[in-house]
Amino acid sequence: MVKLKSILEKSYLFIILAILYAPIVFLIIYSFSNSSNFNFSQGFNFKAYISIFTSDKSPELWSAVGNTLLIATVSSIVATVMGTFASIGIFHLGKRMRRLVENINQFPIINSEIVMAVSLMVFFVTFAFPEGYLRLIIAHIAFCTPYVVLNVLPKLEAMDPNIYEAALDLGANPFKALTKVMFPIITPGIVGGFVMAFIMSMDDFIITQINKGAATGINTLSTYIYSDARVQGLEPFWYAIFSIIFVAVLALVLSINLVKISKQKKKEKEGAK
């Protein structure tokens, strides 16, 4: 009976993982077909990957990639700084006020993205923000900061609340206690928040599409994919790009987790000694 239960649990996990990742596996496989019809009539080849650099659309594509990385990098850095200090402030609030602020922080996450996109557009038009990068970066900061807070707060809650006070009692000023004591403890949450903000910013379409301004000519990867696919459908090189993005994000997440595991094992060995 126990063996049957174990088999069913593993089978359930395998089915869930298959549902989640089978489409991505097929996408990666067909990225080597150089075909939009999901067949290998041209054999297994790397033409789709080569066309990323040699296609007539390569200049527009790389411009969109550059815009995506620029907006994601700037907005995620600012969102990480804002979200980290906001988390520290929320952590030190009273119970009722803290619960209220935490619920407010979750509104942009649980709310429909189209509502936030239109709200930001109304805000920018009302206060006459210039179209272009400024609007997009502010919009992405507003969109990403709550995710940083959700990553940092659990680390603060797991921290011994007396450590900061102990550092002050031992002669450290508030800034040194913050940077030398609190920040090292919550660094995994800060890094996780930055990665989450960066990925969410890169992935965003609705907020970017509505707030980029039609006359600016600015495209991120998501908006360029939409405009290109709407006219000609998805060309083979898009499958190659999607595969590269997935592998890059997967490598980043695995690297972060491997570092966490190695640090945890090191701490366990030092504690055993």
Side-chain angles (χ1 to χ4, degrees):
M1 186 70 181
V2 176
K3 189 175 180 180
L4 177 62
K5 183 180 178 182
S6 176
I7 292 172
L8 290 174
E9 287 175 350
K10 291 179 180 178
S11 300
Y12 173 77
L13 179 61
F14 177 79
I15 292 170
I16 294 299
L17 291 174
I19 292 171
L20 290 174
Y21 291 102
I24 299 174
V25 172
F26 279 106
L27 174 69
I28 295 173
I29 292 172
Y30 283 114
S31 71
F32 295 100
S33 69
N34 195 38
S35 170
S36 300
N37 299 320
F38 305 106
N39 61 63
F40 282 89
S41 58
Q42 302 180 44
F44 187 92
N45 60 77
F46 293 88
K47 291 180 180 178
Y49 288 88
I50 295 171
S51 64
I52 294 174
F53 304 95
T54 59
S55 170
D56 295 337
K57 298 179 180 178
S58 293
E60 294 179 354
L61 170 63
W62 286 107
S63 175
V65 170
N67 291 333
T68 303
L69 294 176
L70 173 65
I71 294 167
T73 301
V74 174
S75 60
S76 56
I77 289 172
V78 177
T80 301
V81 173
M82 291 176 60
T84 299
F85 284 102
S87 299
I88 295 171
I90 294 169
F91 179 71
H92 287 94
L93 290 174
K95 288 185 178 180
R96 290 185 179 179
M97 183 59 69
R98 179 177 170 180
R99 191 177 304 159
L100 174 64
V101 176
E102 285 180 353
N103 289 332
I104 293 173
N105 177 73
Q106 293 182 30
F107 283 163
I109 297 173
I110 63 177
N111 200 5
S112 174
E113 193 175 342
I114 186 67
V115 175
M116 187 171 185
V118 174
S119 301
L120 286 165
M121 181 189 68
V122 172
F123 173 79
F124 292 141
V125 171
T126 302
F127 292 96
F129 278 81
E131 291 184 342
Y133 290 105
L134 180 63
R135 283 192 184 188
L136 290 177
I137 290 172
I138 292 174
H140 280 234
I141 291 170
F143 173 62
C144 295
T145 301
Y147 292 95
V148 178
V149 173
L150 286 182
N151 275 272
V152 177
L153 265 179
K155 294 298 179 183
L156 287 167
E157 292 170 354
M159 180 185 72
D160 186 342
N162 298 315
I163 289 179
Y164 180 78
E165 297 295 335
L168 295 177
D169 291 340
L170 292 171
N173 58 44
F175 178 76
K176 186 170 286 188
L178 181 67
T179 56
K180 298 292 185 180
V181 177
M182 186 176 287
F183 276 172
I185 295 173
I186 64 174
T187 293
I190 296 173
V191 173
F194 173 80
V195 173
M196 178 69 76
F198 187 84
I199 292 172
M200 294 299 295
S201 178
M202 282 191 63
D203 182 61
D204 177 73
F205 168 73
I206 297 174
I207 290 175
T208 306
Q209 179 70 11
I210 290 178
N211 289 284
K212 68 187 182 72
T216 60
I218 296 174
N219 266 317
T220 60
L221 194 56
S222 59
T223 60
Y224 181 63
I225 290 170
Y226 171 74
S227 61
D228 185 65
R230 187 176 58 175
V231 176
Q232 296 183 350
L234 287 174
E235 297 184 46
F237 73 84
W238 284 119
Y239 303 135
I241 292 171
F242 300 152
S243 302
I244 291 171
I245 292 173
F246 173 77
V247 171
V249 171
L250 179 64
L252 178 63
V253 172
L254 288 176
S255 299
I256 292 171
N257 282 296
L258 288 173
V259 170
K260 286 182 181 178
I261 292 170
S262 64
K263 286 183 177 179
Q264 186 65 32
K265 287 183 177 179
K266 190 176 179 180
K267 285 182 180 179
E268 289 175 357
K269 286 181 181 179
E270 291 175 353
K273 292 178 181 179

